[in-house]
Amino acid sequence: MGVMSTTAMAATSVMMMMMKNHKHFEIKNCLHNPSSSDKKLIEEFNPKISIEKAVTPPSSWYTHPSFFALELDRLFYTGWLAVGYAEQINDPRDFFTGRIGQVEFVVCRDDNGIIHAFHNVCRHHASLLASGTGKKSCFVCPYHGWTYGLNGVLLKATRKTGIQNFDVNEFGLVPLKVATWGPFVLLNMDKENTHQLEIESNAVAKEWLGSCSEILSLDGVDSSLSFVSRREYTIECNWKVFCDNYLDGGYHVPYAHKGLASGLKLDSYSTTTFEKVSIQRCESSCLESKDNVDRLGSEALYAFIYPNFMINRYGPWMDTNLVIPLGPRKCKVVFDYFLEDSLKYDKAFIEKSLEDSEKVQMEDIILCEGVQRGLESPAYSSGRYAPTVEKAMYHFHCLLHDNLIK
């Protein structure tokens, strides 16, 4: 990132002061020790057994309320998570909001161009400050009018006359660690805050993507594409069901996605696993010409970034799938679509591509909801892996076990 500017240093000083005064403010129940019953559930999956002999995690991993709470603590309240894309905060005063578990957050860019992230909660009586996306010069609480700068500092506390021992500097917004990598915005909800306002992208890449960050960059996962569309789906299944479906190495494609299967060479599917990432590749059977650009291109790349983010790069398109857990049997999946600049004004091509993609999503939703119902049946406890294709799914389950047992 280079040497910090005077503005950045001043903003960092403000952040350090806020952090010092918010040591008591942590995510509730964060990183509690697993109960004996939770440990028993975790230990029902053994990552030391090879995929050829292993059984899948038990159905309780997908249905038990206490297991879901443990996942939030161990997976989602620690480490880097993708939460949005950089175009959402491209200009000063841009902001967007979101929620992971019980954590309501807001990400914004201040007038000096510095990116900030905070718990989206007023320090007065806990009202949410902002919603959706847009532009703001400050955050004004809709409940009692307390006002915060885009750097989190409390600018105005209404009707504070008579309050004793009240220090404005101790009531700024509670910060979260924020970073960008390529076209994505990342948050880290670790209780141990950093002195840096915005984290250097190379350090984040190493932690979030490990050794495959350069591979993804070289394969076209970058900031050169333009945002086209967002679609959201609420699905009646555990968040891991959606991930498992994504990670089966194309196993379900010829049975559930006949339209998509016709455009892929399914025998070309390959899977490579890294520290926290798995990459699946598949060649296309479609031909392109100058006058006919195919949606799928010559090869598709499907990257799964643990625990809940997927990047799909194919032809001129990139789409991302962010899986947000909403409960033991419910999740929301946010699809963001990006396109190469040469085609971003081709409305017919975009509409047809999104229509084809929507068909695949609807087919997957039916599958995932059916799997969830099956997991809740007394007839099922655990299954087996197909070793030649489900390597990425096995890798995902091993990472889950490692995080949960710590």
Side-chain angles (χ1 to χ4, degrees), residues 50-188:
S50 68
I51 187 173
E52 292 81 6
K53 297 178 181 179
V55 296
T56 60
S59 56
S60 54
W61 279 33
Y62 300 80
T63 60
H64 204 288
S66 71
F67 194 87
F68 175 75
L70 180 65
E71 287 181 325
L72 289 179
D73 283 347
R74 292 303 176 95
L75 308 181
F76 293 95
Y77 296 162
T78 63
W80 291 102
L81 296 173
V83 295
Y85 56 94
E87 279 189 65
Q88 290 177 286
I89 47 168
N90 204 43
D91 300 315
R93 302 189 176 188
D94 285 348
F95 78 93
F96 69 87
T97 61
R99 176 176 178 146
I100 297 288
Q102 281 74 52
V103 179
E104 300 277 357
F105 64 83
V106 58
V107 180
C108 63
R109 190 181 292 273
D110 69 19
D111 287 324
N112 296 310
I114 298 170
I115 299 173
H116 302 266
F118 305 100
H119 288 271
N120 183 21
V121 179
C122 180
R123 297 296 309 285
H124 179 222
H125 284 321
S127 172
L128 297 188
L129 285 173
S131 61
T133 64
K135 275 186 176 293
K136 286 184 182 289
S137 59
C138 58
F139 295 114
V140 180
C141 178
Y143 197 9
H144 297 114
W146 283 36
T147 303
Y148 303 86
L150 298 182
N151 61 358
V153 172
L154 177 61
L155 301 176
K156 178 183 177 183
T158 60
R159 305 245 177 148
K160 65 180 180 180
T161 303
I163 302 178
Q164 297 182 8
N165 303 319
F166 178 73
D167 185 347
V168 169
N169 295 325
E170 293 183 0
F171 280 84
L173 297 180
V174 179
L176 291 166
K177 287 187 281 190
V178 63
T180 58
W181 183 86
F184 309 122
V185 177
L186 314 175
L187 288 187
N188 190 321

Side-chain angles (χ1 to χ4, degrees), residues 189-204:
M189 299 175 192
D190 280 343
K191 62 180 180 180
E192 294 179 7
N193 283 308
T194 176
H195 292 307
Q196 287 177 273
L197 194 65
E198 184 184 348
I199 314 301
E200 204 272 329
S201 62
N202 288 336
V204 171

Side-chain angles (χ1 to χ4, degrees), residues 44 124 183 187 284 300 309 348 360:
E44 287 186 41
H124 179 222
L187 288 187
S284 170
F309 190 59
V360 175

Side-chain angles (χ1 to χ4, degrees), residues 254-326:
Y255 310 103
H257 305 308
K258 288 183 168 50
L260 176 62
S262 66
L264 298 173
K265 295 179 181 178
L266 293 173
D267 58 356
S268 72
Y269 244 94
S270 66
T271 300
T272 309
T273 58
F274 301 84
E275 297 92 335
K276 293 183 180 180
V277 178
S278 60
I279 294 179
Q280 302 171 83
R281 297 179 186 271
C282 185
E283 295 176 13
S284 170
S285 60
C286 301
L287 298 174
E288 289 187 26
S289 67
K290 271 188 176 181
D291 302 318
N292 180 31
V293 179
D294 183 76
R295 178 177 82 96
L296 298 177
S298 60
E299 183 183 66
L301 174 147
Y302 309 105
F304 177 82
I305 303 172
Y306 180 81
N308 67 328
F309 190 59
M310 299 147 212
I311 304 171
N312 311 301
R313 188 70 170 93
Y314 49 96
W317 285 98
M318 177 176 75
D319 69 67
T320 62
N321 318 150
L322 174 62
V323 187
I324 302 171
L326 298 179

Side-chain angles (χ1 to χ4, degrees), residues 43 65 86 94 122 126 143 168 183 193 228 239-240 352 355:
E43 290 167 359
D94 285 348
C122 180
Y143 197 9
V168 169
N193 283 308
V228 172
W239 68 278
K240 297 186 297 300
K352 179 63 168 61
E355 181 182 311

